[in-house]
């Protein structure tokens, strides 16, 4: 049970790290979304199983990987705006920037702790149901560790212009879409305290998590 729980905790991290380990050539707009996810997932698994700092949950190392290699393959503004919901439209540019920064920190810290528990991962990709003209698709995968395989799906949007290609803006673990889960939590905060209240809550949560990490390291 512990190993399966660790695998589940690891999956959102795996999806984040696996989105950006590609060369500029691999960002071509005509690359199939399922091929992109397949290749990047394998590279993410290789990192999880070979990088000692990642296995130890080293947040600085994980943040470095995400900032340098992941973000170009994620529509993170769309991910954040979807999690915030209708209130995003009323947010100022400064508030939007703060929300994206705090949300990214929350995701990294939430999913960085299970790396040392997960070994011998593999995956498969299910046949994709889409038409060539589709601008949004879902790529469905199964991640295999110890125990039963775990479903991990990606929502991707095809983006035009500079950096064109498929970008991920949501992912699903065992039937639960991550952005939808956070939207429910964020909505309660916004209704009670407004956008600034949500920012303050996320900031305090991240600071509290960081303090807990520092205390654990000293211990």
């Amino acid at each position: 049970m512990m190993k399966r729980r660790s695998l589940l905790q690891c999956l959102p991290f795996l999806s984040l790290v696996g989105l950006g380990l590609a060369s500029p050539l691999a960002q071509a707009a005509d690359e199939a979304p399922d091929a992109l996810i397949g290749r990047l997932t394998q590279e993410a698994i290789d990192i999880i199983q070979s990088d000692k700092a990642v296995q130890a949950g080293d947040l600085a190392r994980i943040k470095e990987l995400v900032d340098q290699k992941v973000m170009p393959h994620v529509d993170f503004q769309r991910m954040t705006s979807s999690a915030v919901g209708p209130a995003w439209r009323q947010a100022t540019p400064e508030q939007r920037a703060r929300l994206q920064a705090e949300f990214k920190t929350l995701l990294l810290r939430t999913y960085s702790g299970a790396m040392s528990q997960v070994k011998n991962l593999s995956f498969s990709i299910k046949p994709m149901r889409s038409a060539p003209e589709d601008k949004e698709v879902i790529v469905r995968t199964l991640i295999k560790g110890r125990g039963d395989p775990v479903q991990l799906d990606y929502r991707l949007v095809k983006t035009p212009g500079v950096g064109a290609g498929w970008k991920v803006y949501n992912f699903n673990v065992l039937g639960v879409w991550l952005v939808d889960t956070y939207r429910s939590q964020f909505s309660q905060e916004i209704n009670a305290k407004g956008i600034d209240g949500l920012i303050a809550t996320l900031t305090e949560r991240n600071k509290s998590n960081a303090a807990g990490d520092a205390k654990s390291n000293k211990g």
Side-chain angles (χ1 to χ4, degrees):
M1 179 64 71
M2 180 63 70
K3 292 183 183 299
R4 181 174 174 80
R5 182 161 61 247
S6 297
L7 174 59
L8 294 178
Q9 291 171 334
C10 158
L11 291 181
F13 170 87
L14 176 66
S15 65
L16 285 173
V17 173
L19 300 181
L21 306 178
S23 66
L25 264 175
Q27 298 180 24
D30 59 354
E31 185 176 16
D34 53 348
L36 174 70
I37 292 297
R39 179 169 46 77
L40 300 183
T41 298
Q42 184 59 60
E43 293 180 358
I45 288 174
D46 291 344
I47 282 184
I48 287 175
Q49 298 183 161
S50 65
D51 191 306
K52 300 302 182 184
V54 170
Q55 291 175 12
D58 184 334
L59 193 65
R61 173 60 175 157
I62 293 167
K63 185 176 185 298
E64 178 185 16
L65 282 171
V66 171
D67 285 340
Q68 293 180 359
K69 300 180 178 182
V70 175
M71 297 311 290
H73 291 270
V74 180
D75 189 341
F76 198 72
Q77 177 174 314
R78 178 166 179 171
M79 183 179 286
T80 307
S81 66
S82 296
V84 172
W88 179 262
R89 292 193 293 270
Q90 283 74 51
T92 67
E94 293 78 13
Q95 288 174 322
R96 291 180 178 184
R98 287 287 307 281
L99 285 166
Q100 289 188 70
E102 297 298 340
F103 189 34
K104 183 171 74 169
T105 299
L106 177 65
L107 291 177
L108 291 178
R109 195 172 295 279
T110 298
Y111 300 119
S112 64
M115 296 305 101
S116 63
Q117 304 294 323
V118 179
K119 306 292 183 184
N120 301 319
L121 295 178
S122 62
F123 73 99
S124 60
I125 296 182
K126 296 182 178 180
M128 197 172 70
R129 299 176 180 176
S130 65
E133 66 272 15
D134 287 347
K135 302 301 183 185
E136 296 192 23
V137 299
I138 298 177
V139 177
R140 304 186 187 278
T141 73
L142 284 178
I143 306 298
K144 303 168 187 176
R146 294 194 177 185
D148 297 332
V150 177
Q151 176 185 334
L152 175 60
D153 302 336
Y154 299 81
R155 286 191 185 276
L156 300 94
V157 59
K158 194 170 189 179
T159 58
V162 177
W166 290 99
K167 294 190 177 183
V168 173
Y169 67 92
N170 201 352
F171 49 91
N172 176 322
V173 180
L174 290 177
V176 178
W177 290 99
L178 176 133
V179 168
D180 298 352
T181 298
Y182 278 106
R183 184 186 300 125
S184 176
Q185 298 176 23
F186 290 176
S187 176
Q188 296 178 25
E189 290 289 333
I190 292 169
N191 289 338
K193 306 174 185 177
I195 287 287
D196 285 333
L198 173 60
I199 293 171
T201 296
L202 291 174
T203 302
E204 182 58 35
R205 182 171 173 183
N206 287 330
K207 286 181 179 178
S208 177
N209 288 338
D213 290 346
K215 185 175 180 181
S216 297
N217 290 336
K218 287 181 179 179

